[in-house]
Structure formats: C-alpha cells, structure tokens
Amino acid sequence: LILDAIPGPIQKGLEVATGLIPALGFALLARLLINKQVAPYFFLGFLLSGYLKIPVTGIALLGAIVAIIMVNIMQKQKLATNEGGVVDDDDE
C-alpha cells in the first residue's frame, strides 16, 4: 500500500495535524461569528454540550429551531411597527 511507504514520523505528524483541524476550524468560525449579540448563544451551546452531555448535532438542531423562532418573532414585530407608523401615499 501507498501508506506503508510513508515514514513513521511523517505519519505521526499527519495524525497530529488531523487532530488539530477541528480546533482550527472552530477557532476560525468563532473569530467570524462571535459578537455581542451571538456570544450568549455560543456559550449556551458549550454549556449544553459540556454539562448536559447533549451531542453537537442536537445542539445544532436546537439552535436552528431557536433561530427560526426568533426570526419569525422579529418579522412580526417589524410588520406591526410598520403598519402602525407608516403613512401610505395612496390614502391621501
């Protein structure tokens, strides 16, 4: 096999590198996504995963559901404020 031709130290280095890839990906996502509005949800996911032993897939699904609910609530609030405060030019 081709893998048998790779020297042991290089194989070990590749194993270490593949172990670091998830941490690197997580750090890149955190750098892009963390802000004051998102941080509480981010750390809530960590708490759920760490203390309650909820799998990451479960947390992702829960996060998607919460996001959909929050977007719907925000859209309804926006519609309510637009209907109450906007004057339509056709009514004049």
Side-chain angles (χ1 to χ4, degrees):
L1 284 169
I2 296 173
L3 293 178
D4 293 333
I6 299 173
I10 293 177
Q11 285 184 353
K12 184 65 177 172
L14 290 172
E15 287 177 19
V16 171
T18 55
L20 292 175
I21 288 175
L24 178 63
F26 179 76
L28 289 171
L29 283 174
R31 184 171 180 227
L32 291 173
L33 296 176
I34 297 282
N35 59 39
K36 290 180 182 179
Q37 294 175 339
V38 179
Y41 301 106
F42 185 74
F43 291 113
L44 178 64
F46 271 115
L47 289 173
L48 290 173
S49 177
Y51 289 110
L52 299 179
K53 306 292 186 206
I54 298 175
V56 176
T57 304
I59 293 171
L61 292 172
L62 178 65
I65 292 167
V66 169
I68 290 169
I69 292 169
M70 290 184 68
V71 166
N72 285 333
I73 290 171
M74 292 168 110
Q75 285 179 348
K76 286 181 183 179
Q77 288 176 346
K78 187 176 180 181
L79 286 173
T81 55
N82 285 343
E83 289 176 359
V86 174
V87 176
D88 192 11
D89 290 340
D90 294 337
D91 292 340
E92 293 178 0

